[in-house]
Amino acid sequence: MRNTRDTQLLFDLSKPGRRAARLPACDVPERPPEELLPAGAIAAAAPALPEVTEPQIVRHYVNLSTQNMSVDTHFYPLGSCTMKYNPKRNERAAAMPGFADLHPLQPAETIQGMLHVLYEMQQYLSEISGLAACSLQPAAGAHGEYAALLVAAAYFRDMGQSEQRKRVLVPDNAHGTNPASAVMAGFDTVAVKTLKNGGVDMADFYAKLDDRIAVFMITNPNTVGIFEPAMRELADAVHQRGGLVYLDGANMNAILGVTRPGDFGADMQHYNPHKTFSGPHGGGGPGAGPICVTKRLAPYLPGPVVEKELRGASCEAREDEIAPFSPLSPRNSQLHRYSLTSPPKSIGRVRSFVGNVGVLLRAYCYIRTHGPDGLRAVSENAVLNANYLLSRVKHFLPVPQGDRCMHEFVASGSRLKAERGVAAMDVAKRLLDFGYHAPTVYFPLTVPEAIMVEPTETESKETLDAFAETLFRITGEDPQLLHEAPHTTPISRPDEVQAARQPTLCCPVF
Amino acid sequence: MLKKALSDCGIRIADCGLPIAIAEFGLRIAEYPIPKLLAAIAFRNPHSETRIRNPNSAFRIPHSQIRILPSAFRIPQSLMPYLYNTPDDQREMLRAIGAESIDELFAPIPADLQLKRSLDLPPAMSELELDRHLQMLAGLNDHAAKKVCFLGGGSYDHFVPAVVDAIAGRSEFYTSYTPYQAEASQGNLQVMFEYQSLITRLTGMDVANSSLYDGASAAAEAVLMALHAHPQRRKIVAPASVHPQYRETIATYLANLDAELVTLDCPGGVIDADALAATVDGDTAAVLVQQPNFFGCVEDADRASAIAKTAGALLISVFDPISLGLLKRPGDYGASIAVAEGHTLGTPMSYGGPYLGIMACDQSLVRRMPGRIVGETRDRRGKRCFVLTLQTREQHIRREKATSNVCTNQALFAVRASVYLAQLGPQGLRETASLCLQKSRYLAGRLCENDRFSLAFAAPTFKEFVIRDAANDVDGLLRTALEAGYLAGLPLAPWYPELSDCLLIAVTEKRTKAELDGLVHALSAAPARQEALS
Ligand SMILES: Cc1ncc(COP(=O)(O)O)c(C=O)c1O
């Protein structure tokens, strides 16, 4: 039960002389720090951290945790975020000392098990994407976008086209990270219009497509949850102009084993394993952003990547000698060895060490738990759930894109707003009162009063029914009640303008 | 023969061709009685073929021959632990949707773009099998409890108190999303606000964001900030004593921008102030200083800061959070931006990630900062609360004009760092830093009792140091030490060819005197290469 009393700031709990940690006595001969370090480098005092006891810490944070909604406690249909169940077996696996207590620069021969997982992940992700090569470096989806765009830039530089190809085309309903990544990678962005159904406006696309194109970034299924109707034509047109197609893979949960980006024209993509492959979001992170690319872009991938050597020979040649799925049986460990390498024309690294391996390890568990048919079943049920919810919601909240969707749909609250003065945000806030996390609202920007719902496959029909009924009930409620919602949460309608105008970003030291 | 084997297992084969029967078998299992199926499980080989195994025989079918058939039936949920929809649910839902089958829902994907086979991935595993498989793989790794870890270079074997795991293991923290709905996320938001406060106190800086990916990418983001703050200046100066992977990351980030990364040699293991002063000029946007630096040496940060300031450049400090128990804070020596790898605050080494990118800066730079920032405000009833703020810097509002593309960050590690810092308190942090200092200096001293070893640099060190092997056999040393149970240190040759006879050794508070003495013994016992001695 929520304890609303114990939510003082951590710093308010502090009293001089309290402490939680005791360290072992120093077991080597000690010398005064002033003898060991230059006087000018030593701090006058230790940092002003709070002085608290361990039970205080536990009560403080546990009580704060109860002020959150989470996947483990609530239905969390946050569009574009794929808030599916985060399996506990994955958590336990990532915490195994044999994975958690490895130093990132240990010699390869001491981490063959870890490298096996990462090598296999490269293979699995390539297979699922239909693209030849994979790098696990990037730390999140946006980081993957950025890394892949750097790969594209390096490729064009190699082709002697970097002066010519400066433009990245991005549909106007794309996630904000797409244009932001393109600019960071040194490109100019050109927004391409989209139609009411979410598909790319082909006339606008052709008007903006010319020989200056470097990359066309597309999210498919896109951010309104439909499969881009002109995908093939778009990809062909970009390729004809010598450009590359980037797939924002945030919505892979809809198409696992159904279709592959490499097969529908993508040259590069990122994954969000913290969405598609059940990595917990951690209140905002961590994620990971592995990228897959075609064979011709593989030499530019960020490194390191994991390589498998087979008795000195390249692995393709002797692969057939290895019994499936027992790759590290005593017999096979003599057959091959994993190591880290950098691709020959690599753009370099985009962070320290190999990648967010803890997230990738969970994704590995997820893929191994499902197998090929299970992954397809995930997408089938994600799409079924979304369509089912759409079929229930469309009667009272218009869904401009039509009657069908992939893994998510975007309803519009514009009629509600016009007729009753109720905004999408009001609906979102009121849902919290009924114990549902709000859908994503006001994204994509192309749908007025957007309410973006992604139920995921790890929810039941009963939950979807109850959610739809609640949503229906809310649309008929007193507008004033809705403007002031939520009514049951610890706080309601924070003043965001004030927060930004006179920012208080930390607790002052007295 | 295959038909016979399958019918031996009680599986009827449709009149369609053989490969199709197999596909049906593999992908549409619900059509067959489960107990019979268990006697004949389809294994998908990751390489090229599907195997049908039964008690009596095994067959292989090339994957190219496998086709997926449309079907109204789906995988029984008994095989899929996280799915709810029973076949009855599915039928009812399809009826409500007005669709004949699930395949119909995928009709918007043109048939020629659909995958006509099943993914070439290993078959599903039960939890028990998965656990066994992972235990086997984990067992192949020499983790810190098996080999005593003296490796550093940006990742360190510090102690993680149990309370950190207990709090970060609360699923209200780890299974929630970014706190866009403040009313449903006050827990996360308050923790972030407290984290930002803890980081400003730790660093002596004005403001902190709520996390970036890791130390190296945080350093690169700091460089981009500096370039934006100084649009006329195009030069970034980084001494060679800054972590090579951080410099590589910065170089990657700058590759397509109109900016230049200038590396300053550090033959003495620390910044040569005169050389720095000669390199930094009116075109320099920022100077990086790592404190303690990659070699473990303590830099004269005040001096570097003064040089940067004189030229009007920003000082970017790359600091070690643990060192701030003893060393001056970045704010004390005038850093404009301070970044760090924060995994040392309560997160195990985890083979390098996910980690925590810490970033703090001057008040004047706050609107250029990347990443999410939490601020305090009041709610409708006047109650103090917390929200994401200054969002007009961010990609979801500003798109191509955003200060950075960062969206997902490392929030859970900010939770861990907060709990860790609360647990240690000022005294605990000081003691931890002190143990690192004392123990590493003890080890350095003991090693240098052997004529074979000497410190590569004269500058004082904090928890890491570089030793030079007179016998020039770093590989041999590492091999011998590994056999004796020690990960003795990092060879520097890959990054600094001129230091190919050197080893970077790190000592945390976790190392005991017995382990330190053990390492000394192991390294001293290492045979020196013949040619090196002669
Ligand atoms: C469509 C889309 N693209 C890209 C991203 C960025 O991914 P990340 O948050 O992992 O950086 C997201 C998620 O937030 C997304 O929904």
Side-chain angles (χ1 to χ4, degrees):
Chain A
M1 201 166 78
R2 186 186 287 157
N3 172 347
T4 48
R5 207 155 32 83
D6 283 321
T7 54
Q8 304 98 310
L9 284 174
L10 178 66
F11 306 93
D12 296 340
L13 305 174
S14 180
K15 248 191 198 175
R18 279 187 185 151
R19 59 181 304 176
R22 254 180 229 291
L23 284 121
C26 189
D27 57 358
V28 299
E30 277 185 278
R31 288 162 60 195
E34 301 73 37
E35 270 178 37
L36 297 173
L37 296 170
I42 300 181
L49 301 174
E51 298 177 63
V52 289
T53 65
E54 186 168 316
Q56 276 182 303
I57 293 171
V58 170
R59 186 165 295 167
H60 177 70
Y61 286 102
V62 170
N63 279 322
L64 284 182
S65 79
T66 67
Q67 318 268 310
N68 284 341
M69 280 185 169
S70 66
V71 170
D72 276 2
T73 53
H74 296 83
F75 179 42
Y76 214 122
L78 193 64
S80 206
C81 301
T82 315
M83 297 299 283
K84 62 170 74 178
Y85 171 66
N86 309 130
K88 301 306 165 195
R89 66 189 69 170
N90 303 1
E91 294 305 306
R92 187 154 87 183
M96 286 179 183
F99 296 122
D101 293 337
L102 297 181
H103 189 281
L105 300 172
Q106 277 187 227
E109 65 265 27
T110 65
I111 46 166
Q112 288 293 300
M114 182 84 242
L115 293 181
H116 171 77
V117 169
L118 299 176
Y119 179 81
E120 289 291 301
M121 275 306 284
Q122 291 173 184
Q123 302 294 104
Y124 301 167
L125 295 177
S126 294
E127 164 65 6
I128 294 168
S129 68
L131 291 164
C134 176
S135 168
L136 304 173
Q137 263 261 303
H143 208 211
E145 293 168 15
Y146 173 61
L149 289 165
L150 293 178
V151 165
Y155 167 75
F156 288 125
R157 200 177 308 125
D158 230 17
M159 306 267 92
Q161 299 178 358
S162 49
E163 289 308 310
Q164 171 198 339
R165 300 195 183 275
K166 281 271 169 233
R167 301 179 100 183
V168 169
L169 271 55
V170 187
D172 59 10
N173 62 5
H175 198 261
T177 50
N178 290 193
S181 299
V183 168
M184 274 178 77
F187 291 107
D188 304 323
T189 60
V190 180
V192 177
K193 291 200 183 95
T194 52
L195 304 170
K196 201 171 161 201
N197 74 359
V200 172
D201 178 337
M202 297 305 284
D204 196 52
F205 168 76
Y206 282 116
K208 286 164 181 170
L209 178 69
D210 59 26
D211 293 339
R212 289 174 293 173
I213 186 172
V215 179
F216 174 55
M217 298 182 85
I218 183 151
T219 311
N220 194 21
N222 67 15
T223 58
V224 303
I226 65 158
F227 192 87
E228 176 58 50
M231 188 62 229
R232 174 52 76 58
E233 184 184 341
L234 288 162
D236 287 348
V238 169
H239 289 148
Q240 237 155 35
R241 291 288 188 164
L244 296 170
V245 175
Y246 181 82
L247 179 94
D248 177 332
N251 296 338
M252 287 299 287
N253 207 44
I255 57 170
L256 299 170
V258 177
T259 180
R260 306 190 304 169
D263 298 343
F264 61 68
D267 300 289
M268 335 176 249
Q269 80 156 108
H270 79 257
Y271 285 90
N272 300 66
H274 45 304
K275 302 179 184 197
T276 312
F277 301 126
S278 78
H281 283 75
I291 53 176
C292 291
V293 299
T294 56
K295 198 164 185 176
R296 104 192 123 128
L297 297 174
Y300 306 92
L301 280 174
V305 294
V306 185
E307 194 180 60
K308 181 154 123 182
E309 296 156 83
L310 211 63
R311 276 207 212 119
S314 90
C315 55
E316 276 82 8
R318 312 292 299 279
E319 196 70 84
D320 54 326
E321 285 190 7
I322 294 189
F325 313 123
S326 53
L328 291 159
S329 66
R331 189 175 83 85
N332 284 323
S333 63
Q334 290 155 16
L335 281 176
H336 65 240
R337 169 180 185 276
Y338 297 100
S339 58
L340 294 173
T341 60
S342 187
K345 299 174 174 181
S346 176
I347 58 162
R349 54 173 60 253
V350 291
R351 51 161 302 152
S352 56
F353 311 124
V354 173
N356 277 359
V357 295
V359 180
L360 299 166
L361 193 56
R362 289 170 174 86
Y364 177 84
C365 294
Y366 186 80
I367 292 172
R368 296 303 307 259
T369 297
H370 285 83
D373 306 341
L375 288 185
R376 191 182 160 106
V378 162
S379 288
E380 290 177 345
N381 283 281
V383 169
L384 179 65
N385 277 2
N387 274 284
Y388 178 68
L389 194 53
L390 166 61
S391 77
R392 299 219 41 179
V393 166
K394 67 182 179 188
H395 305 295
F396 54 91
L397 273 181
V399 179
Q401 72 202 59
D403 283 348
R404 291 285 167 85
C405 65
M406 298 299 286
H407 62 298
E408 68 190 357
F409 62 90
V410 183
S412 169
S414 57
R415 203 174 69 200
L416 200 59
K417 175 100 185 207
E419 292 173 3
R420 311 194 57 230
V422 171
M425 188 61 86
D426 296 334
V427 175
K429 296 291 187 196
R430 182 64 176 148
L431 277 168
L432 306 178
D433 280 333
F434 291 94
Y436 297 109
H437 194 279
T440 298
V441 286
Y442 303 106
F443 175 73
L445 307 169
T446 49
V447 178
E449 298 294 315
I451 301 175
M452 185 192 218
V453 187
E454 180 178 12
T456 83
E457 71 284 1
T458 62
E459 297 294 340
S460 66
K461 178 174 172 297
E462 299 84 73
T463 298
L464 304 181
D465 284 335
F467 177 75
E469 277 149 30
T470 305
L471 203 52
F472 175 67
R473 174 176 161 183
I474 289 173
T475 56
E477 283 189 320
D478 172 17
Q480 195 53 37
L481 179 86
L482 297 177
H483 298 326
E484 289 178 2
H487 301 273
T488 58
T489 46
I491 64 138
S492 177
R493 303 272 176 160
D495 187 343
E496 297 190 2
V497 176
Q498 163 80 11
R501 204 169 277 159
Q502 291 170 327
T504 304
L505 308 179
C506 60
C507 178
V509 188
F510 297 107
Chain B
M1 206 167 103
L2 177 63
K3 275 191 180 181
K4 183 176 176 305
L6 288 175
S7 63
D8 285 348
C9 300
I11 292 168
R12 271 178 297 118
I13 296 176
D15 279 342
C16 46
L18 196 57
I20 295 178
I22 299 302
E24 233 185 5
F25 173 75
L27 293 166
R28 300 286 178 260
I29 326 180
E31 293 179 34
Y32 301 96
I34 297 295
K36 300 260 168 79
L37 263 178
L38 294 179
I41 294 171
F43 276 92
R44 264 186 196 72
N45 181 310
H47 309 306
S48 61
E49 60 198 14
T50 286
R51 244 193 214 185
I52 306 294
R53 187 192 282 173
N54 78 25
N56 308 316
S57 48
F59 299 91
R60 295 169 174 223
I61 307 295
H63 252 183
S64 56
Q65 289 182 29
I66 296 181
R67 298 283 176 274
I68 292 176
L69 292 182
S71 168
F73 296 95
R74 297 301 155 188
I75 304 300
Q77 64 171 136
S78 59
L79 292 182
M80 295 298 110
Y82 318 128
L83 300 181
Y84 283 83
N85 297 331
T86 65
D88 280 348
D89 286 338
Q90 294 188 337
R91 259 188 291 273
E92 244 181 275
M93 294 163 85
L94 285 169
R95 203 175 310 122
I97 296 165
E100 292 285 319
S101 66
I102 290 181
D103 289 317
E104 190 190 315
L105 302 178
F106 289 103
I109 305 176
D112 62 329
L113 298 184
Q114 295 207 21
L115 190 64
K116 311 271 182 331
R117 58 170 175 84
S118 123
L119 287 169
D120 196 356
L121 297 171
M125 277 179 165
S126 66
E127 182 172 3
L128 176 59
E129 289 165 306
L130 178 70
D131 190 65
R132 195 180 291 140
H133 171 71
L134 291 165
Q135 295 285 1
M136 182 274 288
L137 290 173
L140 292 169
N141 300 324
D142 287 337
H143 59 85
K146 285 205 227 165
K147 296 272 188 280
V148 184
C149 183
F150 288 95
L151 306 181
S155 174
Y156 303 91
D157 186 23
H158 286 291
F159 181 68
V160 178
V163 64
V164 177
D165 287 329
I167 298 302
R170 292 283 301 188
S171 52
E172 297 93 327
F173 284 131
Y174 80 80
T175 75
S176 55
Y177 196 72
T178 305
Y180 290 128
Q181 292 295 338
E183 291 93 337
S185 323
Q186 278 303 296
N188 279 331
L189 286 162
Q190 183 170 332
V191 173
M192 292 304 141
F193 181 81
E194 291 174 355
Y195 164 81
Q196 291 169 192
S197 306
L198 287 163
I199 295 301
T200 56
R201 289 168 183 224
L202 185 67
T203 57
M205 305 294 292
D206 296 334
V207 286
N209 74 8
S210 71
S211 71
L212 293 171
Y213 304 137
D214 75 334
S217 60
E221 289 277 6
V223 163
L224 297 184
M225 265 172 90
L227 288 168
H228 288 136
H230 283 309
Q232 306 307 326
R233 298 171 176 233
R234 298 289 88 197
K235 197 159 105 180
I236 300 295
V237 176
S241 59
V242 171
H243 196 308
Q245 293 196 344
Y246 287 41
R247 287 184 285 119
E248 286 168 32
T249 304
I250 294 167
T252 307
Y253 272 62
L254 295 185
N256 303 314
L257 306 180
D258 174 25
E260 182 196 7
L261 177 66
V262 176
T263 308
L264 187 71
D265 283 344
C266 297
V270 286
I271 297 169
D272 173 340
D274 294 336
L276 181 67
T279 310
V280 176
D281 57 21
D283 192 35
T284 306
V287 175
L288 280 99
V289 174
Q290 183 174 341
Q291 181 73 318
N293 70 23
F294 180 72
F295 306 120
C297 299
V298 176
E299 298 272 9
D300 187 345
D302 285 312
R303 185 87 190 274
S305 177
I307 292 168
K309 290 274 146 69
T310 308
L314 303 183
L315 185 79
I316 298 174
S317 160
V318 179
F319 64 94
D320 169 358
I322 298 291
S323 74
L324 299 181
L326 277 175
L327 297 183
K328 267 190 184 170
R329 304 173 302 169
D332 298 336
Y333 50 82
S336 298
I337 308 171
V339 294
E341 175 46 68
H343 98 83
T344 47
L345 304 176
T347 296
M349 297 184 288
S350 319
Y351 195 57
Y355 276 3
L356 169 66
I358 296 177
M359 177 182 270
C361 70
D362 264 358
Q363 188 63 46
S364 61
L365 292 168
V366 63
R367 282 170 203 272
R368 296 188 191 281
M369 229 191 332
R372 298 180 186 128
I373 300 176
V374 174
E376 183 184 312
T377 187
R378 300 267 153 194
D379 83 342
R380 172 165 75 76
R381 308 181 194 100
K383 188 171 171 198
R384 183 197 64 201
C385 61
F386 305 95
V387 291
L388 291 174
T389 193
L390 303 181
Q391 294 191 67
T392 50
R393 299 165 299 113
E394 289 186 73
Q395 46 75 29
H396 62 280
I397 312 273
R398 295 278 280 174
R399 301 179 73 84
E400 67 275 3
K401 297 196 182 64
T403 57
S404 160
N405 66 342
V406 170
C407 178
T408 288
N409 59 12
Q410 304 288 121
L412 191 65
F413 300 93
V415 175
R416 296 187 75 97
S418 300
V419 178
Y420 181 88
L421 287 170
Q423 176 80 359
L424 258 65
Q427 206 50 38
L429 188 67
R430 170 146 284 198
E431 287 168 11
T432 302
S434 174
L435 286 171
C436 293
L437 173 70
Q438 299 292 346
K439 290 177 185 238
S440 70
R441 296 293 278 269
Y442 167 79
L443 178 62
R446 287 287 324 271
L447 280 171
C448 293
E449 286 167 12
N450 182 332
D451 286 346
R452 183 173 168 178
F453 304 119
S454 58
L455 285 173
F457 306 116
T461 58
F462 170 60
K463 72 180 179 195
E464 276 175 294
F465 56 89
V466 178
I467 58 157
R468 176 164 276 136
D469 173 21
N472 192 13
D473 185 16
V474 164
D475 289 346
L477 281 177
L478 291 174
R479 223 176 307 116
T480 311
L482 191 63
E483 278 161 21
Y486 301 93
L487 290 164
L490 293 177
L492 291 179
W495 294 304
Y496 303 92
E498 70 280 13
L499 299 177
S500 61
D501 54 350
C502 291
L503 210 52
L504 178 67
I505 298 179
V507 183
T508 69
E509 77 284 2
K510 273 175 83 172
R511 299 288 74 88
T512 62
K513 180 165 183 296
E515 290 169 341
L516 305 178
D517 292 340
L519 180 67
V520 173
H521 183 77
L523 291 180
S524 303
R529 260 196 323 217
Q530 286 311 318
E531 71 269 34
L533 286 182
S534 56

